Amino acid sequence: MATPVKVYGPAMSTAVSRVLACLLEKNVDFQLIPVNMSKGEHKKPDFLKIQPFGQVPAFEDDGISLFESRAICRYICEKYADQGNKGLYGTNPLAKASIDQWLEAEGQSFSPPSSALVFQLAFAPRMKIKQDQVAIKQNEEKLSKVLDVYEKRLQETRFLAGEEFSLADLSHLPNAQYLVSATDRGELFTSRDNVGRWWDEISSRDSWKKVVDMQQKKTSA
Amino acid sequence: MAVRKVYGSLNSPATLKVLACLFEHDLDFEFVPVNLNAGEHKKKPFLSMNPFGQVPVYEDGGIKQFESRAIIRCMGFEYGKKGEELIYWDARKQAIVANWIDVEGHQFEPPALKLIFEMVIKPKNGLAPDHGVVAEAEAELGSVLDVYEARLAKSKYLGSDRYTIADVLHLPNLQSLLGTKAKKLIESRPRVRAWCSEILARPAWGKVLEMKRDKAQA
């Protein structure tokens, strides 16, 4: 039996949960090692050795140490290609080209405004940080434009990269989950027919439900 | 009829990254300029190629892609055996390259672009840089380059001991930054400075600069 891979960070972190979703899709055993961010553990020398930017997640498997959640996900799909969801990162170059394109679009276009909104609307209140209304408005406008593009795309295809669920869709789950379930801006997704349909479908996958469960079971920060 | 086409702008770092990789792989291609000043990228027909309205777009046989890092990854795996390999087929080695590709995208490029906007693009358009923004972006980029300095002590290039996509992606913005006062951030860090000089001296990057010079003279 292979040694479980190690993921460092709290399940409630969007980037950590991205990796967890991928591991669950691929049926890869893992050990989730807590990092106490409220005590600044992620900025201390021991953690900085495995993630020099002081961010979560960090990841270890088979003698290598990685960070950047999407790079970790790509690795999991390549290393464990023959188990779990085999099509997650495509099974031929054309499929992979489309998945890579939409995974980059998520990282470059969807993530910046959605992460800003998740922070302002879901985390800032919990952390007793004052919300920046200008930032909220600007990022909501940016995210709306991105979701307009998604609305048109999802009219043509069932999922972002094509007719099968892929890493490109998975990558959106963490931020969208917070926006839909923990803020009052869920309508950004639910008011758009195709985006709403897509959100319902990807968020009801067993793997994602397990991640949400893990996030909700967390009792301390 | 060209097999490969790049639709983009020689003023766009993302376009230049793709061109650098095409030259590294020694691939023929047709460059189709998109007039950003005229807003061509925000109108049809371009929007039907990239609905986000950004350059570049790449075509290669049946493949049509946008997002420079996606284009470059696929190109690396498709053409890696001929000419220079910029990727690894070994999952563990490629994982580290992929890690540093994302570092370029998420940590390096955002402050680099802010600095280039303030110190290069605004002055070209007769606007003064915002010194507060510059100071903040310099501090941000400085912290990133501190991580690079430590990384380059353990690894000859960012992603491995040979030149890979993770390095190529830095070329256009490093070139621009060296033409500004922000070059001190690079020059004050010996390993970063050495790595920067080495990668900017690659013949493939020279060919990209030649394309820019030819356009400026045309």
Side-chain angles (χ1 to χ4, degrees):
Chain A
M1 195 73 189
T3 318
V5 309
K6 288 184 177 157
V7 183
Y8 295 82
M12 61 182 280
S13 144
T14 51
V16 172
S17 68
R18 181 174 291 117
V19 173
L20 299 179
C22 184
L23 288 164
L24 288 161
E25 280 284 328
K26 296 297 288 173
N27 293 347
V28 175
D29 287 334
F30 63 89
Q31 199 188 342
L32 183 62
I33 295 160
V35 175
N36 193 331
M37 295 178 76
S38 62
K39 294 220 163 102
E41 191 183 337
H42 55 309
K43 302 292 182 189
K44 298 204 173 124
D46 275 343
F47 188 79
L48 291 174
K49 279 183 201 149
I50 56 173
Q51 215 295 13
F53 294 96
Q55 294 170 336
V56 290
F59 175 89
E60 281 165 4
D61 179 35
D62 195 11
I64 58 164
S65 187
L66 291 180
F67 54 96
E68 286 292 341
S69 61
R70 296 163 192 83
I72 296 167
C73 289
R74 285 181 162 101
Y75 163 75
I76 292 163
C77 289
E78 297 288 5
K79 172 104 190 284
Y80 300 100
D82 293 334
Q83 56 189 83
N85 183 339
K86 292 180 190 176
L88 194 60
Y89 196 13
T91 49
N92 62 71
L94 267 180
K96 210 166 185 183
S98 183
I99 295 168
D100 266 329
Q101 173 182 282
W102 288 97
L103 185 47
E104 288 295 338
E106 182 274 323
Q108 293 292 321
S109 296
F110 176 85
S111 186
S114 61
S115 297
L117 282 175
V118 168
F119 175 76
Q120 291 291 337
L121 299 172
F123 286 106
R126 297 182 203 186
M127 294 159 75
K128 301 213 182 352
I129 293 174
K130 188 168 184 247
Q131 289 176 320
D132 179 345
Q133 295 302 331
V134 172
I136 291 172
K137 187 163 189 286
Q138 281 176 350
N139 283 292
E140 208 176 330
E141 277 166 16
K142 278 188 194 161
L143 184 57
S144 289
K145 289 193 178 130
V146 171
L147 292 176
D148 286 342
V149 172
Y150 283 21
E151 183 65 8
K152 289 202 179 101
R153 170 62 180 172
L154 294 164
Q155 180 73 34
E156 296 155 18
T157 53
R158 186 171 165 197
F159 297 100
L160 283 174
E163 294 308 306
E164 304 290 329
F165 176 78
S166 76
L167 204 49
D169 308 289
L170 183 153
S171 205
H172 291 77
L173 288 163
N175 287 359
Q177 179 71 33
Y178 273 111
L179 289 174
V180 171
S181 65
T183 78
D184 60 359
R185 298 309 201 276
E187 66 193 28
L188 285 164
F189 295 81
T190 56
S191 68
R192 290 172 166 85
D193 287 339
N194 298 310
V195 171
R197 173 212 15 106
W198 167 76
W199 169 250
D200 280 341
E201 193 163 1
I202 66 173
S203 58
S204 38
R205 290 182 77 86
D206 282 340
S207 56
W208 186 244
K209 285 186 186 166
K210 283 186 189 143
V211 176
V212 172
D213 238 8
M214 289 176 73
Q215 291 183 328
Q216 285 166 352
K217 282 192 174 110
K218 204 91 182 69
T219 51
S220 57
Chain B
M1 171 106 170
V3 174
R4 291 170 212 96
K5 286 187 183 173
V6 179
Y7 299 82
S9 162
L10 296 175
N11 292 324
S12 138
T15 301
L16 300 180
K17 292 172 191 180
V18 170
L19 297 177
C21 285
L22 284 160
F23 285 125
E24 285 285 354
H25 292 297
D26 210 16
L27 298 169
D28 290 328
F29 65 92
E30 183 190 335
F31 177 67
V32 182
V34 176
N35 191 335
L36 302 184
N37 287 341
E40 192 183 336
H41 54 314
K42 301 293 181 191
K43 301 176 197 159
K44 289 202 173 150
F46 187 82
L47 277 182
S48 55
M49 293 197 289
N50 182 353
F52 293 97
Q54 293 168 329
V55 290
V57 166
Y58 177 69
E59 285 175 5
D60 183 358
I63 288 185
K64 283 180 161 65
Q65 273 184 311
F66 54 86
E67 283 296 340
S68 61
R69 293 173 192 84
I71 294 165
I72 287 166
R73 282 177 213 267
C74 292
M75 197 190 293
F77 283 100
E78 178 69 23
Y79 297 104
K81 286 187 175 103
K82 305 155 193 165
E84 288 281 340
E85 278 165 61
L86 298 178
I87 48 89
Y88 286 98
W89 281 276
D90 176 83
R92 289 164 82 246
K93 289 182 182 164
Q94 180 58 20
I96 301 183
V97 174
N99 184 149
W100 289 91
I101 290 174
D102 278 2
V103 168
E104 183 272 334
H106 301 145
Q107 308 283 1
F108 174 85
E109 189 164 72
L113 287 181
K114 275 185 207 152
L115 283 171
I116 292 164
F117 182 73
E118 294 296 324
M119 297 165 101
V120 179
I121 297 174
K122 271 169 114 172
K124 265 194 194 147
N125 290 291
L127 296 167
D130 179 326
H131 294 295
V133 173
V134 169
E136 208 181 297
E138 281 185 340
E140 208 183 316
L141 186 57
S143 300
V144 173
L145 293 178
D146 284 339
V147 174
Y148 280 28
E149 187 71 9
R151 169 66 181 164
L152 292 165
K154 293 184 252 177
S155 180
K156 184 158 190 246
Y157 294 93
L158 277 184
S160 88
D161 282 330
R162 62 167 162 81
Y163 185 69
T164 66
I165 293 176
D167 307 290
V168 181
L169 290 171
H170 290 78
L171 292 168
N173 294 325
L174 283 175
Q175 185 77 58
S176 298
L177 286 169
L178 284 178
T180 72
K181 285 185 192 159
K183 68 182 176 182
K184 62 183 191 262
L185 298 171
I186 294 161
E187 292 175 346
S188 60
R189 293 168 171 86
R191 294 187 194 100
V192 170
R193 187 184 66 230
W195 162 77
C196 183
S197 303
E198 188 167 342
I199 66 174
L200 288 173
R202 286 187 73 92
W205 181 244
K207 289 179 185 163
V208 175
L209 294 178
E210 221 176 282
M211 280 181 78
K212 286 188 63 133
R213 276 194 297 270
D214 289 347
K215 180 205 168 200
Q217 286 159 15

